[in-house]
């Protein structure tokens, strides 16, 4: 729990919990996830708000065109996004940090160790929801968003490179679509738990979320040879 979170709980104000999505540059995966989450849970709905940032980040950029195109095609809004880098001020105001790669997780732990208890991978968070099993509905119904975030963090297992949601930047339309599909499918697992109720689905069919001791499933395109990544300008 961050200092801001603790203060909010102790005053009993129950301000909206903030979920921060973090990828590398804050131009592809994290803004896509932020905007898709806002589609089904508009700001402050169900007591949750969503934001995004990058580590190390490339501030001042709009969304990657390939991911922005997919977002708009799926009913989202890509306008107005400006990338930013994670810093202490941002982390001080969030309750859950959701990363897309194990490398992001490690970088945040190294740079901001005091926030280690609120950082989860997206796949890791989805596995935690599944691990709650039959108790999930009871937990959600009996708690607010802040409690649900704490519950999710408390039951999460270890993160791993095998749970990475790979960066589609510069790898073509096929990689971008596979990435967007995977994010949608994982959000379909995590968002209903955070909201404490059913929410509109983002993807069909859902991705099989691995349990502890199993490897993450990957879209079919990853089984073949992937295109080389293009470095950020």
């Amino acid at each position: 729990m961050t200092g801001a979170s603790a203060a909010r709980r102790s005053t009993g104000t129950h301000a909206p919990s903030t979920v921060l999505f973090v990828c590398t540059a804050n131009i592809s995966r994290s803004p896509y996830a932020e905007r898709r989450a806002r589609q089904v849970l508009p700001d402050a709905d169900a007591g949750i708000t969503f934001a995004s940032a990058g580590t190390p980040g490339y501030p001042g950029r709009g969304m990657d065109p390939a991911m922005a195109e997919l977002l708009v095609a799926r009913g989202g809004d890509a306008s107005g996004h400006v990338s930013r880098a994670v810093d202490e001020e941002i982390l001080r105001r969030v309750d859950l940090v959701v990363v897309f790669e194990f490398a992001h997780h490690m970088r945040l732990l190294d740079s901001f160790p005091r926030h280690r208890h609120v950082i989860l991978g997206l796949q890791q968070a989805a596995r935690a929801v599944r691990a709650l099993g039959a108790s999930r509905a009871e937990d959600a119904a009996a708690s607010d968003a802040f409690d649900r975030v704490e519950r999710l963090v408390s039951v999460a297992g270890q993160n791993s490179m095998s749970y990475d949601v790979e960066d589609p930047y510069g790898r073509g339309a096929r990689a971008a679509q596979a990435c967007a599909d995977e994010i949608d499918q994982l959000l379909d697992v995590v968002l209903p738990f955070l909201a404490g109720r059913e929410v509109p689905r983002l993807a069909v069919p859902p991705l099989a979320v691995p349990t502890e001791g199993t490897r993450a499933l990957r879209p079919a395109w990853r089984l073949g040879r992937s295109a080389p990544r293009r470095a950020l300008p």
Side-chain angles (χ1 to χ4, degrees), residues 2-18:
T2 65
S5 300
R8 188 162 60 225
R9 170 59 71 205
S10 65
T11 61
T13 57
H14 297 268
S17 291
T18 298

Side-chain angles (χ1 to χ4, degrees), residues 35-54:
R35 297 301 177 95
R36 289 292 270 163
R38 286 183 179 182
Q39 275 184 254
V40 295
L41 291 172
D43 278 354
D45 189 14
I48 310 170
T49 62
F50 299 97
S52 65

Side-chain angles (χ1 to χ4, degrees), residues 131-218:
L132 288 169
S135 66
R136 177 176 53 178
E138 180 180 346
D139 286 343
S143 61
D144 64 15
F146 184 96
D147 293 320
R148 291 190 290 272
V149 166
E150 284 199 321
R151 177 63 171 153
L152 185 67
V153 172
S154 72
V155 302
Q158 295 294 315
N159 202 1
S160 166
M161 287 186 292
S162 66
Y163 298 110
D164 286 357
V165 177
E166 294 185 10
D167 190 356
Y169 182 79
R171 303 177 71 184
R174 190 178 181 190
Q177 181 169 338
C179 178
D181 288 348
E182 186 171 9
I183 291 172
D184 285 352
Q185 291 157 355
L186 292 169
L187 289 177
D188 278 342
V189 177
V190 175
L191 292 180
F193 176 81
L194 293 178
R197 58 176 169 81
E198 291 300 316
V199 300
R201 297 188 66 82
L202 295 171
V204 177
L207 181 71
V209 177
T211 57
E212 292 300 322
T214 64
R215 291 182 59 82
L217 297 183
R218 287 289 182 258

Side-chain angles (χ1 to χ4, degrees), residues 13-189:
T13 57
H14 297 268
S17 291
T18 298
V19 177
L20 179 73
F21 294 102
V22 175
C23 66
T24 302
N26 191 213
I27 62 173
S28 293
R29 290 165 291 181
S30 59
Y32 179 88
E34 174 195 359
R35 297 301 177 95
R36 289 292 270 163
R38 286 183 179 182
Q39 275 184 254
V40 295
L41 291 172
D43 278 354
D45 189 14
I48 310 170
T49 62
F50 299 97
S52 65
T55 181
Y58 293 85
R61 301 169 186 260
M63 271 192 79
D64 171 59
M67 293 298 283
E69 182 178 355
L70 287 166
L71 174 63
V72 172
R74 298 176 186 197
D77 180 8
S79 65
H81 174 73
V82 179
S83 64
R84 59 180 181 165
V86 173
D87 59 25
E88 179 63 34
E89 177 62 21
I90 291 172
L91 292 176
R92 187 179 62 81
R93 294 181 282 109
V94 306
D95 304 289
L96 178 65
V97 179
V98 178
V99 300
F100 293 85
E101 294 181 18
F102 188 66
H104 302 146
H105 200 150
M106 293 298 99
R107 186 177 292 120
L108 292 179
L109 290 181
D110 287 343
S111 301
F112 308 99
R114 68 185 295 262
H115 299 285
R116 63 189 180 279
H117 299 302
V118 298
I119 304 170
L120 295 177
L122 182 55
Q123 288 265 16
Q124 184 186 13
R127 299 201 320 273
V129 172
R130 289 289 177 87
L132 288 169
S135 66
R136 177 176 53 178
E138 180 180 346
D139 286 343
S143 61
D144 64 15
F146 184 96
D147 293 320
R148 291 190 290 272
V149 166
E150 284 199 321
R151 177 63 171 153
L152 185 67
V153 172
S154 72
V155 302
Q158 295 294 315
N159 202 1
S160 166
M161 287 186 292
S162 66
Y163 298 110
D164 286 357
V165 177
E166 294 185 10
D167 190 356
Y169 182 79
R171 303 177 71 184
R174 190 178 181 190
Q177 181 169 338
C179 178
D181 288 348
E182 186 171 9
I183 291 172
D184 285 352
Q185 291 157 355
L186 292 169
L187 289 177
D188 278 342
V189 177

